[in-house]
Amino acid sequence: MFTTSAFAQTAAGASGGSTAMIAQFAPLLLIFVVFYFLLIRPQQKRMKEHKAKLEAVKKGDQVITGGGLVGKVVRVDEIYVDIELGTGMKVKAVKSTLSDVLAPGALPAAND
């Protein structure tokens, strides 16, 4: 008599197991969806916009390098950019190290 009731309990519990498993994974799935929309997707969008800015660099644009140097683009190559920092002072920088591209004559924004 005890054996029969024990088998009956495990059989009934097994059918509710899939619902319990879904309930366990639902919070993890929800967290992933929230992270995607709040962190991953906006970062990908910013990276795409930054890449488009770098591809559109042209002679005469004012740029800020990763090191904080501000200058005017004199020559654009496939990989490199020649930047004039002052009168007669030119540097060659890798295009991918540019942190921002400003409109000609624009002042860089101050980070407070």
Side-chain angles (χ1 to χ4, degrees):
M1 181 155 194
F2 292 120
T3 312
T4 311
S5 64
F7 283 127
Q9 287 177 353
T10 56
S15 65
S18 64
T19 307
M21 194 165 82
I22 291 172
Q24 288 177 345
F25 286 117
L28 293 174
L29 183 64
L30 181 67
I31 289 171
F32 178 75
V33 169
V34 168
F35 269 104
Y36 177 76
F37 282 107
L38 293 180
L39 297 174
I40 298 170
R41 191 168 172 239
Q43 181 65 26
Q44 287 177 342
K45 186 178 176 184
R46 269 187 250 121
M47 285 174 52
K48 192 180 289 186
E49 289 171 356
H50 182 69
K51 186 177 178 182
K53 265 186 177 182
L54 293 182
E55 292 295 324
V57 170
K58 62 186 181 301
K59 184 178 177 179
D61 285 347
Q62 214 172 7
V63 294
I64 301 174
T65 65
L69 299 174
V70 179
K72 182 178 167 183
V73 175
V74 188
R75 186 176 73 85
V76 179
D77 201 359
E78 187 70 28
I79 299 173
Y80 300 105
V81 177
D82 287 346
I83 303 169
E84 185 175 23
L85 300 175
T87 308
M89 183 186 291
K90 293 181 185 175
V91 294
K92 183 180 273 195
V94 178
K95 225 185 209 185
S96 63
T97 62
L98 298 178
S99 61
D100 201 6
V101 180
L102 307 170
L107 295 174
N111 293 333
D112 293 327

